[in-house]
Amino acid sequence: MMKPNAQFWDKVALKYAAQPISNPDAYEQTLDRVVSYLKPTDRVLELGCGTGSTALKLAPHTGSILATDFSEGMIAQAEAKMGVDNVRFLQADTFSPLLEDGSFDVVMGFNLYHLVERIDEAMARVHDLLVPGGVFISKTPCIGERSLGLKFGLLKRLIPLMQLVGKAPFVRFETIAGLEARIANAGFEIIETGNYPLRPPNHFVVARRL
């Protein structure tokens, strides 16, 4: 049976693909930082790739990218954009047996981990997917930050109501400190952080597998 989260993303895939990037400057800042860690020989895995735009943009800077998403609808939209030889799209989630441990030099997940229910297990799985010394790059909306003030309270009330009528997926109210602790506890050394954009904090983390 299809999981509710996958069902939600299948329904919105076409609309999602048509939406412009909400903050182009922050997106380009993120891409610049990611590119600085990629090598021409790297085997890269992107988890939660959505409609594939980021994988296609990063393709010229690395060896190969396997871009995955658990939503069939999202992967269909991604495949419609194909035209880059070193990118492959696959319907799979973090725990898929199709992904072999120790097979990747870089694992990426952007705007993903506030939507993951089994987050600590997911971080541990990322650790296992990487080669020793491999790099995990992520960017996560940290909407649990109290600095959001009134917006924090509004989101806490609004999202559960939207979930009841199928208008929102699972959402985690993560904090910056909580996110970094989860990554460190999964066996990583954090080597770079930043917020792109600053408010609300979309927290960029680069971490090396120990």
Side-chain angles (χ1 to χ4, degrees):
M1 181 180 295
M2 185 182 293
K3 295 181 179 179
N5 260 5
Q7 201 169 36
F8 171 84
W9 291 110
D10 281 350
K11 286 180 180 178
V12 302
L14 187 61
K15 182 179 178 181
Y16 184 91
Q19 288 178 339
I21 294 169
S22 60
N23 191 323
D25 289 341
Y27 181 66
E28 291 300 328
Q29 281 182 294
T30 304
L31 290 181
D32 286 345
R33 296 311 308 141
V34 174
V35 167
S36 73
Y37 286 95
L38 299 181
K39 298 189 293 294
T41 57
D42 280 344
R43 298 160 298 168
V44 178
L45 171 66
E46 184 181 6
L47 298 166
C49 71
T51 60
S53 297
T54 297
L56 295 172
K57 283 182 175 292
L58 293 174
H61 304 282
T62 198
S64 64
I65 300 180
L66 175 59
T68 67
D69 201 285
F70 73 168
S71 164
E72 181 181 4
M74 289 292 184
I75 291 297
Q77 293 298 316
E79 288 178 335
K81 301 177 181 179
M82 279 304 291
V84 178
D85 292 340
N86 65 335
V87 176
R88 180 165 69 95
F89 293 108
L90 176 69
Q91 184 185 357
D93 68 10
T94 302
F95 304 101
S96 172
L98 297 173
L99 306 177
E100 186 177 345
D101 285 358
S103 294
F104 302 98
D105 303 293
V106 178
V107 174
M108 309 183 300
F110 304 118
N111 298 310
L112 172 64
Y113 289 102
H114 65 307
L115 304 172
V116 173
E117 296 184 60
R118 296 160 56 194
I119 188 168
D120 293 319
E121 292 175 62
M123 296 290 183
R125 173 69 166 143
V126 168
H127 179 277
D128 292 343
L129 289 168
L130 284 163
V131 300
V135 174
F136 174 38
I137 306 175
S138 63
K139 193 169 86 163
T140 306
C142 289
I143 59 175
E145 286 291 313
R146 294 286 179 171
S147 61
L148 294 179
L150 291 175
K151 186 177 288 187
F152 172 84
L154 180 62
L155 288 171
K156 288 284 279 187
R157 290 192 296 271
L158 184 59
I159 287 177
L161 295 175
M162 294 176 67
Q163 289 168 335
L164 285 174
V165 295
K167 298 296 184 182
F170 171 85
V171 177
R172 179 179 302 282
F173 283 77
E174 192 64 88
T175 64
I176 290 172
L179 177 68
E180 291 188 1
R182 292 182 190 280
I183 294 172
N185 289 341
F188 290 96
E189 175 193 10
I190 294 175
I191 56 179
E192 181 181 338
T193 64
N195 291 319
Y196 313 117
L198 182 63
R199 290 287 181 271
N202 204 337
H203 197 54
F204 178 76
V205 179
V206 182
R208 182 175 288 115
R209 174 184 162 166
L210 296 174

